[in-house]
Amino acid sequence: MDAQGRGRGENIDPADQWVLNPNTGEYELRLSPSAPQSPIPAPRGPRNTGAGNPRARSASPDQAPERPGRASPERGTPGRDVPPQRRRRGAPEEPPGRRGRKPAKSRKAKKVLLWTSGTVAFLVLATGVGGYLYLEHLNDNITSVSDDGASTGGFKKDQAINILLIGTDKRTGAGNEGYGDKGSEGHADTTILLHVSKDRSNATALSIPRDLIVDIPDCPTQQEDGSEKVIPGSIGARFNTSLGQSGRTPSCTMRTVTELTGIKPDNFMVADFNAVKTLTSAVGGVEVCLGKDINDPDSHLNLPKGTHRIEGEQALAFVRTRHSVGLGGDLSRIELQQQFLSSLMRELKSNDTLTSPSKMIKLAEAGTEALTVDSQLNSINKLKDLGMELGKLNVKNLTFTTIPVVDNPAEKIKATVVLDESKAPEVFDLIRNDVSFTEVKQQQKKEKAAVAARLKGEKAPASEVRVRILNGGAPAGSAQSTLSWLQVDQGVGKSENAGNAPAELAKTTLEYAPDQADQARRLAEILGLSGSAMKPGESVTNSQGLPAMTLTLGKDFKGAGVPLTPPDKAPDDIKKSTADKVVCAE
């Protein structure tokens, strides 16, 4: 279609208006020849979703008003598109060597935005530079629901990140009538706890089986009219009923995960069946490998052995199939989904995706339409910040694993599973202590060695150790019981109970001055502390006016005399895979 036709407001693909600027390495919106280039299209007006609608997007304070001088379509002309810029007749062409020059790979890698969510919610949003410039336009697409105080208050850039990614089986959208439970509000059908390390060098995607028996706690939940209602908990319930049933919202799934793992998520993301279909189509399909022929009448997947590129309805059938793979249960389906997500990650990180403005914009549109987030993550700017953090990951250091489980011994016909108490606690500890499931860069190894070195050196006699003990999140009475144990059983007589700490800590710490290092090493040996728990700093004055160390008992404290040395590597018998490896489903 010619430029005049476009100027009359006829529909065009928005991707056609974005071009790569070879001087900056960024995608820009081409306006008319007489207008300047603008990095962001004019945002659409907010949707009227109705007061109290739980899917209504919260008003975003980050949404910027239209700035003076910013080019935008004429007011009062809905649907009007701006024609792309063309070279003026007779104007010189760009010099050879600059036309079509691609930005450096490192530049693209740093700017790619990646937001992922459960087999469904994991597939949320992946954009590059073009998507970054397109964010304000997408703000109105996002819907949010209250976190009901179940989160940490939102992720922080200088800390490890824990995102709860939920895929539901709720029937929404055309063509989905045959999926899920009829009349259901949707279950937590596919759930992944995504942990991103503090240094962003690695991440762990922990799948939670939907048929795992858990205790669902009472859930304070915001209602449509703004009031709060406490949804009663359930003892010995399937994990997937933590969402949708009895009025439970994603915040209740978040509370259940905290109760189960001891890890409090920072945020949650939720999506339904449509996310798989629309996002795989937007990226041009995802390549998967089958080690055998599969014909599953339940999921409608019918593919021969070999490698296939799937999208849309076929992609949804792939992640839903279970009867034709492995042992035919949900655990086998989880492995299939992990393979699918690994392939999707590789596709999103590929040059074919990162250098295609058309794919980027289709992904951004599809992703934000499919995404529901918590109230702490309810604007494009917040999603962009999260995406920038997640975009630092290398797929070879993204590990997929599943909570270790065993068949429910209370059942004759095995339909549910329970925690494998010999393995699951260690997996939870690894994540809580920010331990990678993969080998990371040499720099991280050097840092670990430096921390471990704090334990090496001379140790003062226990009788010379002077320490004040604070309770910073441990069970009530822990400071006093530790004091008694140290004085009576360990000979640390110069110790005292200093009451509660000013703030709670996730981990127990021992702060000491440089000239107290020998005392710190002795106390760490007695308590079973790791080098990471030792914090070189300053001494404090005890009740006798003498310098002392500070021992703050955190939420990880398990009792006087119980060692607090965290695991430093994943056990070899934990089944896992990394996103850079191609695995064929059997």
Side-chain angles (χ1 to χ4, degrees):
M1 180 173 292
D2 61 23
Q4 288 181 342
R6 293 181 178 183
R8 289 193 296 270
E10 298 186 39
N11 293 329
I12 61 170
D13 186 340
D16 291 341
Q17 296 177 265
W18 293 81
V19 296
L20 181 69
N21 185 328
N23 297 321
T24 65
E26 296 182 351
Y27 289 103
E28 296 177 347
L29 179 66
R30 289 290 190 185
L31 302 177
S32 62
S34 60
Q37 292 181 6
S38 173
I40 302 176
R44 292 176 288 175
R47 292 181 295 185
N48 181 9
T49 51
N53 186 341
R55 282 187 59 83
R57 182 179 62 83
S58 304
S60 170
D62 298 314
Q63 189 168 0
E66 188 173 335
R67 299 179 179 87
R70 176 169 294 210
S72 62
E74 294 181 10
R75 299 184 182 277
T77 314
R80 176 167 180 170
D81 295 305
V82 183
Q85 187 178 30
R86 295 186 176 184
R87 183 170 58 87
R88 297 189 306 275
R89 183 171 299 176
E93 295 186 358
E94 292 179 358
R98 295 186 63 180
R99 295 181 64 188
R101 186 177 63 186
K102 296 181 179 179
K105 184 176 181 180
S106 60
R107 179 190 295 267
K108 291 180 294 188
K110 290 179 180 178
K111 292 190 176 182
V112 62
L113 307 182
L114 181 59
W115 300 302
T116 50
S117 186
T119 281
V120 186
F122 203 89
L123 307 171
V124 176
L125 181 62
T127 62
V129 181
Y132 178 85
L133 302 175
Y134 198 50
L135 293 177
E136 285 190 30
H137 166 71
L138 303 172
N139 215 28
D140 189 48
N141 286 357
I142 301 172
T143 58
S144 69
V145 295
S146 176
D147 71 344
D148 296 314
S151 74
T152 63
F155 79 94
K156 297 177 178 60
K157 294 183 179 180
D158 59 347
Q159 296 181 17
I161 298 174
N162 293 295
I163 306 294
L164 187 62
L165 313 165
I166 307 170
T168 76
D169 57 0
K170 185 176 182 180
R171 296 182 180 186
T172 58
N176 294 327
E177 297 82 3
Y179 304 133
D181 294 335
K182 186 174 182 180
S184 170
E185 287 300 315
H187 302 77
D189 193 56
T190 299
T191 305
I192 294 176
L193 180 62
L194 177 65
H195 172 83
V196 185
S197 67
K198 182 178 179 179
D199 63 7
R200 307 298 185 255
S201 68
N202 64 90
T204 302
L206 180 66
S207 293
I208 304 175
R210 68 176 189 177
D211 296 325
L212 175 63
I213 297 299
V214 297
D215 292 340
I216 300 174
D218 293 346
C219 298
T221 306
Q222 181 177 310
Q223 304 299 296
E224 291 189 13
D225 61 2
S227 63
E228 182 181 284
K229 177 181 178 181
V230 177
I231 308 298
S234 299
I235 304 298
R238 292 193 188 213
F239 176 82
N240 68 344
T241 61
S242 65
L243 174 65
Q245 311 309 298
S246 304
R248 293 174 181 140
T249 65
S251 68
C252 194
T253 305
M254 184 179 276
R255 293 185 195 277
T256 304
V257 169
T258 302
E259 184 93 359
L260 174 67
T261 66
I263 303 164
K264 193 171 188 177
D266 301 306
N267 300 97
F268 64 71
M269 296 180 180
V270 186
D272 54 33
F273 288 146
N274 279 332
V276 176
K277 297 197 293 187
T278 59
L279 286 167
T280 52
S281 295
V283 80
V286 171
E287 196 168 88
V288 296
C289 179
L290 297 179
K292 64 178 182 179
D293 296 346
I294 290 183
N295 186 0
D296 186 348
D298 292 322
S299 70
H300 311 300
L301 180 68
N302 187 356
L303 287 174
K305 176 181 177 180
T307 301
H308 306 272
R309 179 165 289 273
I310 59 175
E311 63 178 275
E313 199 74 37
Q314 198 172 46
L316 179 58
F318 184 88
V319 298
R320 290 187 67 249
T321 197
R322 57 173 174 158
H323 299 302
S324 300
V325 292
L327 299 176
D330 187 52
L331 296 180
S332 297
R333 185 180 67 160
I334 286 175
E335 293 181 12
L336 196 72
Q337 293 168 346
Q338 291 173 348
Q339 181 214 137
F340 176 83
L341 292 171
S342 296
S343 180
L344 176 66
M345 293 289 287
R346 295 193 297 270
E347 189 71 36
L348 295 174
K349 286 280 191 177
S350 71
N351 287 341
D352 287 345
T353 300
L354 299 182
T355 59
S356 170
S358 176
K359 286 185 179 180
M360 288 297 178
I361 292 177
K362 288 177 181 178
L363 279 166
E365 293 282 358
T368 50
E369 285 286 357
L371 174 66
T372 297
V373 298
D374 68 87
S375 49
Q376 306 295 334
L377 198 62
N378 62 355
S379 76
I380 283 295
N381 281 341
K382 294 176 183 177
L383 280 172
K384 179 260 295 182
D385 289 341
L386 175 59
M388 293 295 287
E389 296 302 311
L390 300 184
K392 299 173 183 178
L393 291 173
N394 188 317
V395 292
K396 71 178 182 179
N397 289 326
L398 170 58
T399 303
F400 287 92
T401 189
T402 304
I403 291 180
V405 296
V406 295
D407 286 335
N408 189 347
E411 296 175 336
K412 291 183 178 180
I413 299 177
K414 305 304 181 183
T416 62
V417 293
V418 297
L419 284 183
D420 182 343
E421 296 292 352
S422 67
K423 297 180 180 180
E426 185 173 7
V427 170
F428 300 153
D429 280 346
L430 286 166
I431 295 176
R432 279 196 298 266
N433 288 285
D434 203 23
V435 177
S436 175
F437 279 61
T438 61
E439 289 293 331
V440 293
K441 296 183 300 183
Q442 189 64 30
Q443 179 62 30
Q444 279 73 46
K445 293 181 181 180
K446 291 181 180 179
E447 291 173 357
K448 287 183 177 181
V451 168
R454 296 172 187 169
L455 296 171
K456 299 178 180 179
E458 294 185 3
K459 300 180 180 70
S463 60
E464 294 182 8
V465 173
R466 189 178 289 110
V467 62
R468 298 173 76 243
I469 306 170
L470 297 171
N471 190 328
S478 293
Q480 185 59 42
S481 63
T482 301
L483 175 67
S484 299
W485 178 74
L486 287 174
Q487 292 180 340
V488 176
D489 297 336
Q490 304 299 320
V492 184
K494 298 177 181 179
S495 51
E496 63 183 42
N497 182 353
N500 292 327
E504 292 188 350
L505 299 179
K507 300 177 183 179
T508 297
T509 61
L510 175 62
E511 184 175 359
Y512 58 96
D515 61 352
Q516 297 171 317
D518 58 342
Q519 295 183 46
R521 286 191 284 267
R522 175 62 68 191
L523 189 57
E525 180 184 63
I526 292 172
L527 294 170
L529 294 178
S530 67
S532 62
M534 300 173 67
K535 305 296 181 185
E538 300 179 354
S539 64
V540 293
T541 302
N542 66 8
S543 59
Q544 297 177 338
L546 299 174
M549 300 182 295
T550 301
L551 174 65
T552 304
L553 306 178
K555 294 179 180 179
D556 63 339
F557 182 75
K558 300 175 183 178
V562 180
L564 286 173
T565 303
D568 59 1
K569 60 176 291 188
D572 295 333
D573 58 350
I574 295 296
K575 192 171 184 179
K576 57 186 183 291
S577 63
T578 53
D580 63 322
K581 299 292 192 301
V582 177
V583 179
C584 294
E586 293 286 352

